[in-house]
Amino acid sequence: MQQNEPSNIDNKDLSSQFTKLLNGLKHKMNSVYHERSDVNKLAINRGMPPFVMREIMSVNPFSAVIPTEFGGLGGDVKESIALMAAASYESLALSLTFGINMALFLQPVMKSAQPEAKAAVLKRFIEQQNMGGLMITEPDFGSDALSMRTSYTENESYAHLQGTKHWAGLTGWADFWLLTARKNTGDDRLARDLDFFICDVTQPNQGIVVEEFFENLGLYQIPYGRNRIDVQIPGVQKLVPEKSGVKLMLDLLHRSRMSFPGMAMGFIQRMLDEAITHCQKRFVSGKNLLGYDQVQQRLSQLQAYFTTVSAYCVNSSKKAGLANDLSMMGVEANAVKSLATDMMQSASQTLLQLVGAKGYKLNHIAGRSTVDSRPFQIFEGSNDMLYSQITESVIKLMRKAKQGNLLEFLKTYDITANAAKEVKELFNFELDYSIPQRKLVEMGQILSRVISLDHVLQLANEGFSRELIDGAITHLKHDMKQLLASFNVKNKTNVIEDYSASSDWLNFAGVTK
């Protein structure tokens, strides 16, 4: 039995208690979003009324993923994904709040915190419904996290951290923060590795100064800003990685990316339900929208997204548990995060297109969802960057295996082997190891769909709806064919920085007659 894995009896008890908690959460969300207030009005105002979080946190949702010895239910990734899915059906901002707390704070604390600090943090999450977040990103170092300049010096009692962090969700709200910093080795030189510290903002010398709250576009209920770090953190609150700080960060981020389907699941299901309901009720030229072929195509695409993300959720529940080291799972984690978030944005655009003009309002779910889902394609790694990294990793594996044929590689790669049999006619070609970055991105988009197809085929073996499976397979294959056509087009165009010469159209319009 793996570490922290409960017995069968515990699993049965967990299932029962978690079902009760999940139903309680849904009841509270219905109360605060539909009975006591209107979610469409709440969502267009910055911040969240105190009663909303008070009511939602009263069911102690994070207890689901806290070990039983600390007063929780003992759940793991499956429960956290289910909580995020339930929340995102009602509010993407609430679901992201859950994700920040569970995937970016609680999970790394439970895995790598020192016993004394872990016990203290989890006790307050259980008894006081505290919240926690993660600060990695800096103004001059976004995706280039390993170049961060936040540094620390330490003595026998504490570590002194200094720097600036921004774009941390729950800025000014969270009671705890995981802070990343590099050790100052003298002469302003910083160690290559990084370390994680638990910062308790309620304690002396651990307060974080919010220098600016950002006017973020969308996700209005979550505060973001720029934070000045000048804190003294007791040594007991430093995380202890199994190998290195970089490995800890990769394990943390990959597990979080594997959890993105939780936020995508409820959100896409809501887009699908809203779209079907609208098309059933909306009549044009004597028939409802469901009678139009283009509408059917759009709705079937939404159902393909729903099915694919369902496959992600099942796969992540099996693979992304805390007992597992995910630091080397970059290809799969990046594929899941990137394509899940691309599907979220596409789903919202589809609903907006179907609803039409009235959806182009911030207080309508179609318009709001389009804005709220967009940053998911950017944070925790821009999708363009992640797609590029997927291809680079696959090429590295192919080089190591001395394999040039993409199909032959996919047939032996554990996360594409089943899918390769379904698409063998598409990938029987030699992959150029030195393709330009724009082609790395395109190939990453293609490979993400092959990986997704593999997940969908595994879901089919679990007994999931065959009709939905067939639809998802058809759409994934269609996407691959389109993307491969683009991949095979030679395009080396570059920007002309000084483009103003001979480019004013008015000079070529002639004299008006």
Side-chain angles (χ1 to χ4, degrees):
M1 185 178 295
Q2 291 180 313
Q3 182 184 5
N4 295 330
E5 182 180 339
S7 65
N8 290 333
I9 295 177
D10 289 335
N11 275 330
K12 188 179 296 185
D13 189 44
L14 167 62
S15 179
S16 174
Q17 292 187 62
F18 180 70
T19 298
K20 182 179 178 180
L21 185 153
L22 192 60
N23 289 336
L25 173 63
K26 292 177 180 178
H27 174 75
K28 289 294 185 182
M29 290 192 296
N30 183 67
S31 173
V32 298
Y33 288 137
H34 302 290
E35 295 175 353
R36 296 181 59 182
S37 60
D38 181 355
V39 66
N40 292 313
K41 294 180 180 179
L42 288 176
I44 63 175
N45 296 313
R46 294 199 179 274
M48 198 176 295
F51 83 90
V52 174
M53 284 307 295
R54 183 175 64 245
E55 288 296 300
I56 288 171
M57 293 300 289
S58 70
V59 303
N60 222 342
F62 305 143
S63 66
V65 300
I66 292 175
T68 54
E69 59 264 37
F70 299 104
L73 303 185
D76 203 342
V77 171
K78 180 178 75 172
E79 285 72 26
S80 69
I81 288 175
L83 286 169
M84 286 186 279
S88 64
Y89 191 88
E90 297 289 353
S91 167
L92 196 51
L94 177 63
S95 184
L96 180 55
T97 298
F98 280 12
I100 291 168
N101 275 275
M102 292 184 291
L104 298 182
F105 182 78
L106 280 174
Q107 288 176 349
V109 165
M110 289 188 292
K111 186 164 187 174
S112 302
Q114 298 178 54
E116 181 183 338
K118 181 192 302 184
V121 169
L122 298 184
K123 177 181 174 68
R124 280 171 51 185
F125 264 76
I126 291 289
E127 297 181 356
Q128 301 176 35
Q129 289 76 57
N130 278 185
M131 292 199 293
L134 171 68
M135 290 188 182
I136 294 180
T137 307
E138 300 183 2
D140 294 325
F141 304 99
S143 298
D144 186 16
L146 296 182
S147 296
M148 69 179 66
R149 298 303 298 172
T150 297
S151 63
Y152 74 93
T153 56
E154 61 184 342
N155 56 34
E156 294 180 356
S157 302
Y158 61 83
H160 183 196
L161 278 67
Q162 293 178 294
T164 302
K165 301 288 188 181
H166 73 167
W167 285 116
L170 309 182
T171 289
W173 275 14
D175 307 278
F176 294 101
W177 289 100
L178 268 188
L179 302 179
T180 54
R182 298 163 64 195
K183 187 172 184 177
N184 189 329
T185 59
D187 297 327
D188 201 31
R189 291 177 298 184
L190 304 184
R192 294 183 64 185
D193 200 14
L194 56 90
D195 288 291
F196 287 76
F197 299 85
I198 301 171
C199 181
D200 180 354
V201 299
T202 69
Q203 297 302 306
N205 302 317
Q206 296 185 54
I208 294 175
V209 177
V210 181
E211 296 182 325
E212 177 189 2
F213 281 105
F214 296 154
E215 295 289 316
N216 43 289
L217 176 65
L219 297 171
Y220 289 168
Q221 293 174 291
I222 299 180
Y224 291 90
R226 185 177 70 251
N227 303 270
R228 177 160 53 84
I229 311 298
D230 189 355
V231 294
Q232 297 177 6
I233 298 180
V236 71
Q237 291 170 215
K238 183 178 181 181
L239 297 197
V240 181
E242 292 180 3
K243 297 177 182 177
S244 69
V246 171
K247 289 284 188 181
L248 192 160
M249 183 174 70
L250 289 174
D251 177 66
L252 178 164
L253 291 177
H254 292 165
R255 184 171 290 100
S256 177
R257 290 169 186 167
M258 293 285 279
S259 298
F260 265 67
M263 293 179 282
M265 185 72 257
F267 178 80
I268 288 175
Q269 186 173 3
R270 182 63 180 274
M271 298 298 100
L272 175 60
D273 289 349
E274 291 284 343
I276 291 176
T277 300
H278 172 76
C279 292
Q280 288 171 335
K281 295 179 179 180
R282 176 67 168 168
F283 281 76
V284 176
S285 300
K287 61 180 179 180
N288 69 18
L289 292 181
L290 291 176
Y292 290 88
D293 183 59
Q294 173 64 10
V295 172
Q296 286 289 327
Q297 192 277 335
R298 285 189 175 276
L299 293 176
S300 68
Q301 179 74 78
L302 285 181
Q303 289 189 325
Y305 294 161
F306 170 83
T307 304
T308 304
V309 172
S310 296
Y312 291 160
C313 290
V314 172
N315 181 71
S316 294
S317 296
K318 293 178 179 179
K319 291 183 178 179
L322 278 182
N324 301 325
D325 179 6
L326 271 58
S327 62
M328 301 303 291
M329 284 184 61
V331 171
E332 188 168 8
N334 290 354
V336 166
K337 184 271 179 184
S338 299
L339 193 48
T341 54
D342 279 355
M343 289 189 290
M344 289 170 68
Q345 174 65 189
S346 179
S348 67
Q349 293 281 2
T350 290
L351 177 62
L352 183 57
Q353 189 70 27
L354 291 171
V355 169
K358 68 179 181 180
Y360 200 65
K361 297 178 181 178
L362 202 54
N363 63 353
H364 189 284
I365 190 169
R368 184 174 72 251
S369 296
T370 301
V371 176
D372 284 350
S373 62
R374 183 62 180 90
F376 284 73
Q377 296 172 293
I378 300 171
F379 56 54
E380 277 200 45
S382 166
N383 285 2
D384 276 1
M385 179 188 75
L386 298 184
Y387 283 132
S388 177
Q389 289 177 354
I390 289 167
T391 307
E392 289 171 338
S393 296
V394 165
I395 288 176
K396 185 176 180 180
L397 291 171
M398 291 178 69
R399 285 182 184 274
K400 185 176 180 180
K402 294 183 172 60
Q403 179 59 263
N405 184 278
L406 184 55
L407 175 62
E408 293 306 313
F409 171 78
L410 294 176
K411 285 161 60 176
T412 61
Y413 193 26
D414 61 337
I415 58 175
T416 59
N418 292 321
K421 302 171 187 175
E422 293 280 332
V423 291
K424 55 187 177 183
E425 74 281 1
L426 300 178
F427 295 99
N428 190 15
F429 61 85
E430 299 293 308
L431 181 63
D432 184 357
Y433 290 164
S434 59
I435 54 178
Q437 187 182 42
R438 67 187 71 183
K439 295 301 180 181
L440 291 175
V441 173
E442 290 181 355
M443 180 51 66
Q445 294 172 329
I446 296 165
L447 292 170
S448 294
R449 284 161 173 79
V450 180
I451 293 167
S452 300
L453 176 58
D454 204 281
H455 289 173
V456 169
L457 292 172
Q458 292 183 48
L459 183 64
N461 296 331
E462 303 286 342
F464 198 83
S465 166
R466 190 67 231 185
E467 287 182 313
L468 290 176
I469 292 290
D470 289 343
I473 291 173
T474 297
H475 278 284
L476 285 169
K477 286 183 176 179
H478 178 73
D479 286 352
M480 290 181 216
K481 291 176 182 177
Q482 285 191 318
L483 289 165
L484 277 167
S486 175
F487 177 78
N488 288 321
V489 172
K490 288 182 169 43
N491 178 359
K492 295 184 178 181
T493 56
N494 291 311
V495 66
I496 301 169
E497 295 184 48
D498 184 14
Y499 65 89
S500 58
S502 302
S503 63
D504 185 345
W505 70 270
L506 196 56
N507 293 332
F508 307 97
V511 179
T512 303
K513 295 182 180 179

